[in-house]
Amino acid sequence: MQRKPVVVLISGSGSNLQALLDWSHRADSHYEIVGVLSNRPEAYGLTRAKQAGVPVAVVDHTLFDSRESFDAALVEQIDLWKPEWVVLAGFMRILTPVFTDHYLGRAVNIHPSLLPKYRGLHTHRRALEAGDAEHGLSIHFVTSELDGGPIICQQAVPVEGQDTEESLQKKVHAQEHLTYPRVVEALARGLIRYCPPHACLHDTPLQKPLDLEALDALLADSPAAVG
Ligand code: GAR
């Protein structure tokens, strides 16, 4: 089996990167991580990648005088690794069309909220302040609209009376670590793709985002559609 090459972009701890790496080490994984790029030299995720024997690169955004020139440097480095998929896992930079047009339909992002709620930062705090009964995560194709591309997956978690920003973040993280590798596996198998303006499953626009249970059922039912 030819595994699909994936590049992961990070800015920090890289716990999602770790979950993606762990899945990629399974004998039946349809993807392999061929490079990890961080915009922050001190990101702990770089250590995780090195421990897994994956090549790393740093493109430090503070060294660029415009978002466009930073994005051009990102694209140059990422394309050296020739990925089929670009996976943003806690990559905390706003991207311009220099990046988003180049990888349209080939880049996905994970965001810690049930989009379209709470685009941007401090999502756990905002869900608590709003008194939401549910919070969660979204995984979507990357387009030029910040946190606005077609959604592939959403997984909710309950917000309980005693929850704090930290406890909520922990709950969401735990679900991120389960869902993100499964979504990347489904992409690598050719089961999900970008069909503008939708995310499509088996060539049909998704009626609603997949949750963890639906992802598990999909992967159990569907061998690779390609390669
Ligand atoms: C994750 O919770 C991810 O959803 C979030 O950053 C965290 C990274 O954690 N992403 C965003 O906020 C993007 N807007 P990690 O470095 O431990 O994977």
Side-chain angles (χ1 to χ4, degrees):
M1 177 216 330
Q2 189 71 30
R3 292 178 191 229
K4 303 293 181 193
V6 167
V7 166
V8 181
L9 271 55
I10 60 164
S11 297
S13 153
S15 67
N16 278 288
L17 166 65
Q18 189 64 58
L20 291 161
L21 281 166
D22 291 347
W23 182 288
S24 76
H25 294 146
R26 296 166 55 137
D28 57 350
S29 168
H30 285 70
Y31 72 86
E32 73 173 313
I33 299 178
V34 296
V36 170
L37 184 150
S38 172
N39 64 307
R40 293 187 184 279
E42 73 282 6
Y44 180 65
L46 292 170
T47 304
R48 296 181 192 269
K50 285 181 206 158
Q51 280 168 354
V54 173
V56 300
V58 173
V59 180
D60 183 344
H61 65 279
T62 64
L63 304 179
F64 294 84
D65 56 14
S66 71
R67 288 193 187 277
E68 286 77 10
S69 57
F70 170 65
D71 283 3
L74 282 183
V75 167
E76 195 178 330
Q77 173 58 50
I78 293 167
D79 282 355
L80 289 176
W81 285 315
K82 300 190 183 353
E84 190 141 317
W85 293 100
V86 177
V87 173
L88 279 59
F91 187 68
M92 303 303 283
R93 300 298 301 167
I94 291 174
L95 295 161
T96 71
V98 172
F99 182 101
T100 58
D101 288 353
H102 188 78
Y103 295 115
L104 192 61
R106 296 195 288 140
V108 289
N109 179 46
I110 191 161
H111 184 73
S113 78
L114 296 172
L115 291 168
K117 279 190 163 182
Y118 315 132
R119 295 178 183 189
L121 298 174
H122 309 302
T123 59
H124 312 300
R125 187 188 313 166
R126 288 156 71 196
L128 278 176
E129 283 172 359
D132 291 353
E134 276 196 330
H135 184 45
L137 67 96
S138 304
I139 299 167
H140 62 91
F141 283 105
V142 173
T143 65
S144 56
E145 193 185 344
L146 177 67
D147 299 328
I151 296 172
I152 300 166
C153 164
Q154 283 192 321
Q155 180 61 45
V157 301
V159 182
E160 290 153 310
Q162 73 280 12
D163 268 325
T164 61
E165 216 176 314
E166 291 69 34
S167 68
L168 210 45
Q169 181 186 35
K170 241 183 177 169
K171 282 189 203 175
V172 171
H173 251 141
Q175 296 304 311
E176 289 186 338
H177 300 161
L178 293 171
T179 49
Y180 215 4
R182 285 165 171 78
V183 167
V184 177
E185 173 69 19
L187 292 169
R189 289 195 204 175
L191 305 174
I192 297 171
R193 64 186 186 84
Y194 178 57
C195 46
H198 306 287
C200 280
L201 172 64
H202 299 310
D203 290 329
T204 307
L206 272 178
Q207 296 305 308
K208 59 178 182 157
L210 303 168
D211 63 8
L212 183 57
E213 198 182 336
L215 279 170
D216 267 338
L218 172 67
L219 294 178
D221 285 355
S222 317
V226 289

